[in-house]
Amino acid sequence: MNIKDAQLAVDDWIKEHGVRYFDELTNMAQLTEEVGEVARIIARRYGEQSEKESDKSKDLGEELADVVFVVLCLANQTSIDLQQAFDKKLDIKTKRDHDRHQNNKKLN
């Protein structure tokens, strides 16, 4: 599924299962919460913090999907074509960063 289709799927889901989109500020708060959940898993599973027994069953993929869902909601309600924005960003990064990291000794 491409981003455009994902935006449509989220919009269809909101119309079928939700009452309406939460307002943008509420969705921004939700996004922050979801990113925090991703950070918690990564900090404990891949970082130096000890993973709590209650966190071991957390699904990183599910939490990342929560982040994507809220981002798609925000794009929909602010009339952003995220596919177009992403394609443009990838093009910019490709041109700007094509050789940027090749000689970075920190990445060897």
Side-chain angles (χ1 to χ4, degrees), residues 1-107:
M1 176 180 297
N2 63 35
I3 298 171
K4 186 177 278 297
D5 289 340
Q7 276 188 256
L8 291 171
V10 166
D11 194 58
D12 288 343
W13 187 93
I14 294 291
K15 289 174 182 169
E16 186 174 334
H17 301 285
V19 175
R20 62 171 174 77
Y21 284 95
F22 294 128
D23 65 47
E24 295 84 355
L25 289 174
T26 299
N27 273 336
M28 187 62 231
Q30 277 194 297
L31 179 59
T32 303
E33 181 182 339
E34 298 299 349
V35 169
E37 292 176 17
V38 169
R40 180 182 179 100
I41 292 170
I42 290 176
R44 286 168 169 76
R45 196 165 295 162
Y46 304 103
E48 296 175 339
Q49 287 186 313
S50 298
E51 190 169 24
K52 294 180 180 180
E53 202 57 43
S54 60
D55 289 337
K56 290 183 178 179
S57 64
K58 302 278 183 181
D59 183 339
L60 179 58
E62 185 177 328
E63 298 304 334
L64 287 168
D66 285 341
V67 170
V68 171
F69 186 91
V70 179
V71 167
L72 293 170
C73 286
L74 283 165
N76 284 348
Q77 65 195 131
T78 57
S79 301
I80 302 293
D81 180 337
L82 203 52
Q83 183 71 62
Q84 181 181 29
F86 183 81
D87 291 344
K88 180 179 177 183
K89 178 55 69 174
L90 194 57
D91 185 54
I92 289 168
K93 288 181 75 59
T94 299
K95 290 174 183 167
R96 182 189 69 202
D97 298 337
H98 179 71
D99 296 321
R100 180 175 171 202
H101 302 295
Q102 301 306 315
N103 297 317
N104 183 343
K105 293 177 182 170
K106 293 185 264 183
L107 298 176

